[in-house]
Amino acid sequence: MNRIQKFFTKIKGLLVHRFFQVLLFLILGLFAYGLMFSNVKPEKVQVELFKPAEQTIRSTKTVEDTYKTEQEKEEISKQVADVYTLKKEYAKNKVDLISSIFDSAIEVNKETDPERDKKEEGKEDKKEPIKTDAQKVSILKEKLTDEVNRNIEDSVFLALVQADEDELEIAKDSTITAVNNVMSSRIAASDVENAKKKVVEELGYMSINSDMKKASNSLARTAIIQNVFFDKDKTEEQRRKAVESVEPIRILQGQIIVEENQLVDRDVYRQLELAGFLSTESTIYPYIGLMLFILLTFGAFYYFFSFSISKRDNKYNQLLIFSLVFILSMATMKTVSVLADLKNSNLEYIFPGAMAAMLIKILLNDKLAVAMIILLGSYGTIIFNGDTPGNLDFSMGLYIIFGGLAAIIILSRPNFKSKVLIAGLLMSLINVAFVFSLIFIMDGHYTKMEYLYYAAAAIGSGVGSAVLTMGLLPFFEAGFGILSSMKLIELSNPNHPLLRKILIEAPGTYHHSVMVANLAESACEAIGSNGLLARVGSYYHDIGKTKRPHFFIENQMNEENPHDRLQPETSRDIIIAHAVDGGEMLRSHKFPKEIVDIAEQHHGTTLLKFFYHKAKKQDDMTVEACYRYPGPRAKMKEVAVIGIADSVEAAVRSMQHPTPEKIEELVSFIIQDRIQDGQFDECDITMRELSIVKHSLCESLNGIFHSRIEYPEPDKLGQKVKE
């Protein structure tokens, strides 16, 4: 064990105590807080009225510009026209008045006509005196109100009493019609005179005497009055609605208030004051907000690591790896952010955000990889805010999250864990597409060079993530003793010294191991376990046989079986030793623990039935436990599957004429025998998974031992050819 492993082993030993777990999360939180502190620190700017600004200033928050809002409301209110209401009843009143005047005149004429009285009463002429026009006018005025009498000239009354009934009826109808027509339209104060002229024009076509016409004109003009009046309540209501429809004018978060070298006039100065840049009071709210944000995120992760991961060693390994990847990613993010600010460019798109997701995906699992990329994306919105406190760059956060999720999905495909660079190239294309989607959504107007710059940065992010992942993986594997896919592929190389040792010294065992590897890999992938681990573990599971290769039947090429001359106890010791020897050989070559476990556990504590029964025949007192492998039993699903595949391959190879029915019967028997023998008691493999393993093994074996055409013997074949 190297120094790095020893160091991390000590730390894992400390993490057993809850105090040190909390301390680790506290350190991570303080580290994140320190990196993001400058991004939330309230910015104080130096500006003077009527002098150019030394820097471009963006608003850190959204605030309402009350002054401009009130200006807009006043302007809108002024634009609302006064509301005037038409009094329709005025027309009716005036028509009724004119009608009453004419009716009264008709009544006066009737009352003062003696001939009509005699006809109506059927009496003889009493020679009553005829009343004068003055008397008639007086009688007419008595029938009318004082107000009407004041507004109508005496000449009008005189004409009315002098006219006969027919003329009065004609004048009445014409005048009423003309007044009604004119008064039905809107007549403002300024339009009254024009309306009076209009009513006179309408009366110009009456066929009555001139005096009567003048009287009608005078009455009509008197009747024409203003019928449209300013409605204060409705006007105020319209103005209120218009004012309410005005949207508040706001200074938006991120909005440029003043450009560099732009003159700070009174309006700009007022906006800076509203946005809080000129305030001399210090605020602690941004710091409290950042602290709460970090507490929430790390509180969730603390809960997850404390209660969602049951295996202690695995928990502490995952916690340390997660912490290191987080620190590395955050430091890289801050560095890229600072460089982007110094060069005043969008260099942030080159940030290799997917590196963290790829490392966690390969070293740990999908769940933690997704959690990591979401955490980095959320922190990225703060770190990449251009050092403008209060701003959150959500587009950058989405870019980090989207790229990381794409990396996780790509690496989830079969065999892609070994092709990190190819995954990085695919991610580069995805990054480019995503960056351009953001640019187009925001309707940005860029030059061709800027588009090329964005594309290059996105490609650099994808390729950089892959290169950094490949470069960092060996350090994590060495430091934590992690068996990654890349390490497994390295161990599966046929030129590996131990594999060449098996091939040269025990070729039968090598062939057997390859067959077991094929069977175990398919079965493990069928139940969702690590097929690559099963394949590589199968290559080395019988490495211990290279110490005494000729004592194992697959390596006995037309040779006498040495066990025929040995006592059962000796044969037992030789056979059982290959599991122990294999573990020791792998440890001496510093193989990963998982491969060593496969070599030691693939037989579990199964019974060497052949030698046990042989010994039993010689001595009835033979103890069964003495003829069992020392174990331990399988603790991983992969070991359990390899153990089944090992027995099945050897048993089927010894069958004379294997058929699908025989193969299925044999596989079922071996699995049931191991279940009854308790070989899976320490492994979390389920009955359903064992059924899937059985089906997979049968399919693979049927493909290997399928029926072949039975060719004739050589002599008969030659005879057939000659014929």
Side-chain angles (χ1 to χ4, degrees):
M1 184 179 291
N2 56 33
R3 292 181 179 179
I4 299 176
Q5 284 182 314
K6 289 180 179 179
F7 174 73
F8 286 125
T9 301
K10 290 180 180 179
I11 294 179
K12 284 191 285 186
L14 294 175
L15 290 176
V16 173
H17 306 287
R18 189 171 296 275
F19 170 78
F20 288 101
Q21 295 176 24
V22 174
L23 182 61
L24 176 61
F25 277 100
L26 183 62
I27 292 171
L28 292 177
L30 290 173
F31 174 75
Y33 191 90
L35 290 183
M36 293 185 283
F37 180 84
S38 62
N39 298 96
V40 300
K41 182 180 179 182
E43 186 177 11
K44 298 297 181 183
V45 297
Q46 299 295 327
V47 292
E48 292 185 40
L49 191 61
F50 302 125
K51 287 189 177 181
E54 296 179 358
Q55 64 187 91
T56 298
I57 303 173
R58 296 175 180 268
S59 176
T60 61
K61 57 187 176 181
T62 298
V63 293
E64 182 182 351
D65 191 337
T66 54
Y67 177 76
K68 282 194 173 181
T69 302
E70 289 302 320
Q71 275 190 331
E72 182 70 15
K73 287 180 179 180
E74 287 179 11
E75 187 64 28
I76 291 294
S77 179
K78 289 177 181 178
Q79 293 175 6
V80 175
D82 293 338
V83 178
Y84 289 85
T85 303
L86 173 65
K87 302 290 187 178
K88 294 182 179 180
E89 64 274 15
Y90 281 22
K92 184 177 182 305
N93 293 341
K94 291 301 180 180
V95 167
D96 291 343
L97 176 62
I98 298 298
S99 178
S100 299
I101 293 172
F102 277 102
D103 289 342
S104 298
I106 292 171
E107 288 179 6
V108 170
N109 287 343
K110 286 181 180 181
E111 292 174 359
T112 59
D113 185 0
E115 293 296 328
R116 180 178 293 249
D117 290 342
K118 284 193 287 184
K119 290 177 182 178
E120 289 179 357
E121 298 175 6
K123 299 180 181 179
E124 294 183 358
D125 187 9
K126 296 181 180 180
K127 298 181 181 180
E128 295 180 1
I130 298 174
K131 294 180 180 177
T132 64
D133 291 338
Q135 290 175 324
K136 291 180 181 180
V137 170
S138 178
I139 294 171
L140 178 57
K141 285 185 175 182
E142 290 177 359
K143 292 180 177 292
L144 302 174
T145 64
D146 293 339
E147 184 180 355
V148 173
N149 294 332
R150 284 195 302 270
N151 293 332
I152 298 176
E153 298 175 357
D154 289 342
S155 60
V156 175
F157 291 127
L158 182 60
L160 290 175
V161 298
Q162 289 177 347
D164 58 28
E165 185 175 347
D166 292 336
E167 285 182 328
L168 288 173
E169 289 291 348
I170 293 171
K172 171 186 175 183
D173 292 339
S174 299
T175 305
I176 288 173
T177 301
V179 170
N180 187 61
N181 289 341
V182 174
M183 286 294 291
S184 295
S185 60
R186 300 175 67 88
I187 304 174
S190 58
D191 298 330
V192 172
E193 192 59 36
N194 290 331
K196 289 183 177 182
K197 291 179 181 179
K198 185 176 180 182
V199 77
V200 170
E201 289 175 1
E202 288 198 19
L203 291 173
Y205 302 101
M206 286 192 305
S207 56
I208 56 177
N209 64 66
S210 60
D211 291 339
M212 191 65 242
K213 184 178 289 189
K214 289 180 181 179
S216 296
N217 288 341
S218 180
L219 287 173
R221 286 177 60 85
T222 303
I224 300 304
I225 61 172
Q226 177 184 352
N227 63 357
V228 173
F229 297 90
F230 172 68
D231 193 327
K232 182 179 179 181
D233 293 338
K234 287 189 177 180
T235 302
E236 292 298 327
E237 177 69 15
Q238 291 297 322
R239 287 176 178 167
R240 184 183 62 80
K241 288 181 179 179
V243 168
E244 288 177 353
S245 68
V246 175
E247 292 290 336
I249 297 175
R250 295 183 175 90
I251 301 172
L252 301 178
Q253 182 181 15
Q255 176 181 327
I256 295 176
I257 300 177
V258 61
E259 297 274 5
E260 185 178 357
N261 296 324
Q262 178 185 343
L263 184 69
V264 179
D265 57 19
R266 292 192 182 278
D267 189 53
V268 170
Y269 196 82
R270 180 183 51 76
Q271 290 183 28
L272 289 171
E273 189 174 17
L274 275 174
F277 288 103
L278 305 181
S279 175
T280 56
E281 296 180 3
S282 59
T283 177
I284 62 170
Y285 291 118
Y287 309 124
I288 295 175
L290 179 61
M291 181 180 66
L292 289 175
F293 184 54
I294 292 174
L295 283 175
L296 285 172
T297 52
F298 279 103
F301 280 106
Y302 175 77
Y303 177 84
F304 175 79
F305 280 106
S306 297
F307 303 102
S308 298
I309 303 176
S310 56
K311 296 180 180 179
R312 294 180 62 183
D313 291 339
N314 193 34
K315 177 194 297 187
Y316 307 137
N317 242 14
Q318 290 187 4
L319 182 55
L320 280 177
I321 292 172
F322 188 91
S323 302
L324 288 174
V325 173
F326 173 76
I327 291 172
L328 181 63
S329 300
M330 287 291 289
T332 305
M333 188 187 298
K334 186 64 178 179
T335 302
V336 172
S337 169
V338 171
L339 291 175
D341 291 336
L342 289 175
K343 294 187 177 182
N344 195 23
S345 64
N346 290 316
L347 187 66
E348 62 264 20
Y349 284 108
I350 205 171
F351 169 63
M355 174 197 68
M358 296 172 81
L359 283 172
I360 299 297
K361 161 74 179 176
I362 295 172
L363 296 172
L364 302 179
N365 55 55
D366 291 358
K367 191 184 298 183
L368 284 174
V370 172
M372 171 63 81
I373 204 64
I374 292 175
L375 181 65
L376 291 179
S378 60
Y379 285 177
T381 61
I382 299 175
I383 289 182
F384 288 113
N385 68 352
D387 277 343
T388 304
N391 283 346
L392 296 175
D393 191 346
F394 290 106
S395 60
M396 194 60 199
L398 285 175
Y399 175 74
I400 295 171
I401 292 173
F402 193 89
L405 293 178
I408 294 169
I409 293 171
I410 291 171
L411 291 179
S412 296
R413 293 185 57 192
N415 300 324
F416 254 80
K417 288 184 179 180
S418 60
K419 301 176 182 178
V420 176
L421 186 58
I422 296 176
L425 293 174
L426 285 175
M427 278 168 43
S428 296
L429 298 177
I430 295 171
N431 284 347
V432 171
F434 188 75
V435 167
F436 277 94
S437 72
L438 289 177
I439 291 173
F440 294 151
I441 288 172
M442 294 184 291
D443 195 22
H445 300 285
Y446 301 97
T447 64
K448 290 182 180 179
M449 286 303 298
E450 286 175 322
Y451 281 120
L452 288 174
Y453 177 82
Y454 280 118
I459 292 171
S461 173
V463 175
S465 296
V467 171
L468 287 172
T469 299
M470 290 188 297
L472 291 170
L473 271 176
F475 293 99
F476 282 97
E477 291 170 359
F480 292 91
I482 293 174
L483 182 59
S484 68
S485 298
M486 295 182 70
K487 181 65 175 179
L488 286 173
I489 291 168
E490 180 186 336
L491 294 176
S492 67
N493 190 334
N495 292 319
H496 192 282
L498 286 188
L499 283 182
R500 291 188 62 81
K501 180 180 177 67
I502 300 173
L503 177 62
I504 295 170
E505 298 179 8
T509 297
Y510 181 85
H511 175 72
H512 162 71
S513 298
V514 171
M515 295 291 287
V516 172
N518 292 332
L519 296 173
E521 182 181 36
S522 298
C524 281
E525 288 182 350
I527 62 174
S529 293
N530 193 337
L532 183 59
L533 173 60
R535 170 172 286 280
V536 178
S538 298
Y539 288 159
Y540 295 95
H541 79 288
D542 278 341
I543 184 67
K545 290 181 179 180
T546 56
K547 279 197 172 184
R548 306 175 187 85
H550 299 292
F551 283 88
F552 297 90
I553 193 167
E554 67 266 21
N555 297 313
Q556 296 167 5
M557 306 297 181
N558 299 319
E559 299 177 6
E560 181 184 359
N561 191 339
H563 291 289
D564 294 339
R565 305 188 308 270
L566 298 176
Q567 291 297 317
E569 296 85 355
T570 306
S571 297
R572 174 201 65 192
D573 293 340
I574 293 172
I575 298 299
I576 288 176
H578 88 274
V580 179
D581 293 339
E584 291 176 353
M585 290 175 67
L586 293 173
R587 283 194 189 91
S588 65
H589 283 78
K590 300 187 184 305
F591 265 64
K593 182 178 182 299
E594 290 84 352
I595 305 297
V596 176
D597 289 343
I598 289 171
E600 291 181 336
Q601 298 174 14
H602 72 279
H603 282 296
T605 58
T606 54
L607 178 66
L608 286 169
K609 293 182 180 179
F610 178 81
F611 295 110
Y612 169 68
H613 290 299
K614 184 178 179 181
K616 191 76 171 174
K617 289 179 181 178
Q618 296 177 5
D619 184 4
D620 289 339
M621 301 300 291
T622 301
V623 180
E624 180 182 301
C626 296
Y627 283 82
R628 285 187 175 274
Y629 280 93
R633 296 171 181 170
K635 300 190 185 316
M636 298 188 301
K637 292 180 183 180
E638 291 82 2
V639 179
V641 173
I642 291 171
I644 296 170
D646 183 39
S647 299
V648 165
E649 195 280 331
V652 173
R653 184 160 34 85
S654 65
M655 294 175 68
Q656 293 295 326
H657 299 287
T659 63
E661 293 76 15
K662 289 181 179 179
I663 289 174
E664 183 176 359
E665 183 180 352
L666 177 63
V667 174
S668 298
F669 172 78
I670 290 173
I671 291 175
Q672 287 298 323
D673 182 61
R674 291 208 168 208
I675 292 172
Q676 294 171 3
D677 198 28
Q679 296 304 314
F680 304 136
D681 289 355
E682 298 177 24
C683 178
D684 59 355
I685 195 167
T686 64
M687 294 300 294
R688 181 177 177 276
E689 289 172 333
L690 287 172
S691 176
I692 296 172
V693 168
K694 170 191 165 184
H695 180 73
S696 175
L697 291 174
C698 290
E699 277 191 346
S700 299
L701 290 168
N702 288 330
I704 296 170
F705 298 101
H706 62 276
S707 300
R708 293 178 173 84
I709 298 173
E710 192 170 322
Y711 292 100
E713 296 178 5
D715 293 340
K716 293 181 180 180
L717 181 62
Q719 184 70 27
K720 191 81 172 174
V721 171
K722 288 178 182 180
E723 293 177 357

